[in-house]
Amino acid sequence: MTRIVPTSDPHRPDPQPRIVYRSRTGDDVVDCHPREVSQLLAAGGALWVDIDSTVRSQHALLEKVFHFHPLAVEDTLNPNSRVKLEEYEGFLFIIIRGVSLAHGTDDPYDLETKDLYCFLGSTYLVTVHAGPMDSIDRISDVVRRTPDLLSRGVERVLHSVLDDTIDAYFPILESVDAFIDGLEERVFVDFDETALRDLFQVKRLVLSLRRYLQPSREVMNVLTNRPSTLLTPEVQIYFRDIYDHVLRINDALDTYRELLSSTMDSYLTQVSNRLGTTTKALSVVATMSLPFVVVSGMWGMNFSQIPMSAWPHGFWVLLVVQLGLGLLLLYYLRRRRWL
């Protein structure tokens, strides 16, 4: 993926960032003009600003209004930034990766990922992402319906955002679980040849989920256990719940990976067994046909003096002899357990 470049359309105004503010006296401000953000910061209270990094005027707020560190601002334009938590003077910078099943592709198990960048200060939370993001949309609706959530602190809003982002793994796990339930019948009952291809796709999905989840585990561990002036122990208890979700998802992914690997081994073993059965059947046919080839070859030679060549019942006698030799050879091989 290439670096995100914020743009602006000169023919129409830029879309405004989501802004939700709750003052210390309980007054609410929703979707105010970006020029008012500086005043809201100075007034105190709880402020949540959600920024689309593809819009130039919105992304400029990070540097011109909030004065975040240039390295952190640069990370918000890099879609390949690693999941991490960094502590700067006055704020925490968190990068988390959201996942979802991609729509509109031929592969039903293709993943779509998007980074979410969070700046947590003492009285503000700034979230940054490129384009729409489902978890932000859901939490934004919750905050607008229940403004009291902001009065509990911007840390609780951060918890809700991260919790919803991590919980997006669970619907994908349900899809994997449903696939594994139907996989046993496809492999062991129907012996569906397309099952191996789907199995590889789902195994790749599980490995990708595990790769994306592992750094998030470390981030949640830090938010839960590391002392911070921006996170009180009472708030860290809520992040412990997200950490538990990460552990549950990780355990489920490990289980799915083992099940898929064992199912793949069972499928390949079944292919080998079927090949062995086919080879055994062909061996029986070859064994039965061997006397016919030998006897027919000897009595089919182009000589005038061949025993029983002038005997009227010679054909039937030789036929019985060939069948008897074939059955005798088959019996001998069965006794030796070679077939």
Side-chain angles (χ1 to χ4, degrees):
M1 299 178 64
T2 58
R3 181 183 174 87
I4 299 173
V5 179
T7 58
S8 181
D9 189 349
H11 301 291
R12 59 180 181 179
D14 291 340
Q16 299 297 324
R18 289 191 180 109
I19 301 174
V20 184
Y21 173 77
R22 187 173 181 85
S23 68
R24 295 173 179 174
T25 59
D27 298 329
D28 297 325
V29 177
V30 178
D31 292 338
C32 63
H33 196 277
R35 286 195 296 265
E36 301 177 23
V37 173
S38 299
Q39 301 174 5
L40 297 178
L41 280 174
L47 173 66
W48 177 26
V49 180
D50 180 57
I51 292 176
D52 186 348
S53 59
T54 62
V55 180
R56 181 180 301 170
S57 61
Q58 294 189 30
H59 191 266
L61 294 174
L62 300 177
E63 187 174 1
K64 296 181 179 179
V65 175
F66 291 96
H67 307 290
F68 292 133
H69 195 281
L71 291 178
V73 175
E74 183 181 0
D75 280 340
T76 61
L77 298 177
N78 182 10
N80 295 320
S81 296
R82 67 179 182 88
V83 175
K84 61 182 179 179
L85 185 149
E86 293 181 343
E87 187 168 0
Y88 291 88
E89 184 178 357
F91 68 92
L92 293 178
F93 179 53
I94 303 167
I95 302 178
I96 201 77
R97 180 162 291 122
V99 298
S100 62
L101 290 176
H103 301 287
T105 62
D106 296 334
D107 187 357
Y109 302 103
D110 191 15
L111 271 181
E112 183 179 27
T113 63
K114 183 174 290 187
D115 285 347
L116 174 63
Y117 311 90
C118 302
F119 298 84
L120 177 67
S122 58
T123 60
Y124 63 83
L125 171 66
V126 180
T127 54
V128 185
H129 49 88
M133 194 165 186
D134 293 338
S135 60
I136 294 295
D137 294 339
R138 287 190 289 265
I139 301 304
S140 176
D141 293 338
V142 172
V143 172
R144 290 167 188 270
R145 291 196 307 266
T146 58
D148 289 343
L149 182 61
L150 269 177
S151 63
R152 302 171 191 171
V154 289
E155 306 91 346
R156 293 293 302 277
V157 180
L158 174 65
H159 162 263
S160 299
V161 170
L162 296 182
D163 188 35
D164 193 278
T165 303
I166 294 298
D167 285 349
Y169 281 83
F170 286 109
I172 303 177
L173 294 183
E174 292 176 0
S175 300
V176 175
D177 189 63
F179 171 81
I180 293 177
D181 287 341
L183 184 63
E184 295 181 358
E185 182 177 356
R186 292 177 62 186
V187 171
F188 299 106
V189 178
D190 301 333
F191 193 66
D192 187 358
E193 295 182 357
T194 62
L196 186 62
R197 180 192 60 194
D198 294 340
L199 194 150
F200 273 114
Q201 292 176 343
V202 175
K203 188 173 183 180
R204 182 186 63 186
L205 168 66
V206 170
L207 293 177
S208 298
L209 288 174
R210 194 170 184 273
R211 185 174 69 251
Y212 296 143
L213 186 69
Q214 286 299 322
S216 301
R217 178 178 178 177
E218 180 62 26
V219 169
M220 298 307 164
N221 185 32
V222 172
L223 288 174
T224 301
N225 299 309
R226 178 184 295 178
S228 173
T229 57
L230 299 175
L231 294 175
T232 63
E234 292 77 11
V235 173
Q236 287 183 317
I237 294 177
Y238 290 94
F239 289 98
R240 188 184 306 167
D241 179 66
I242 305 179
Y243 184 64
D244 291 339
H245 290 181
V246 172
L247 294 181
R248 284 174 50 197
I249 297 170
N250 185 73
D251 292 342
L253 291 175
D254 287 341
T255 301
Y256 291 151
R257 185 180 60 172
E258 294 177 2
L259 283 174
L260 291 170
S261 297
S262 61
T263 304
M264 183 183 301
D265 293 339
S266 300
Y267 179 86
L268 297 177
T269 301
Q270 191 174 3
V271 170
S272 178
N273 291 339
R274 284 175 174 257
L275 179 60
T277 302
T278 303
T279 304
K280 185 176 181 179
L282 294 176
S283 300
V284 172
V285 174
T287 301
M288 291 293 295
S289 63
L290 182 60
F292 289 86
V293 174
V294 174
V295 176
S296 300
M298 292 178 63
W299 264 263
M301 291 186 293
N302 193 18
F303 292 108
S304 58
Q305 299 296 329
I306 296 179
M308 294 185 295
S309 61
W311 192 19
H313 302 290
F315 171 78
W316 300 107
V317 172
L318 290 178
L319 181 60
V320 171
V321 170
Q322 292 174 90
L323 288 174
L325 289 174
L327 293 174
L328 182 63
L329 182 59
L330 183 61
Y331 173 77
Y332 174 77
L333 294 177
R334 285 290 181 88
R335 284 292 301 270
R336 299 297 300 268
R337 295 185 179 180
W338 291 351
L339 287 179

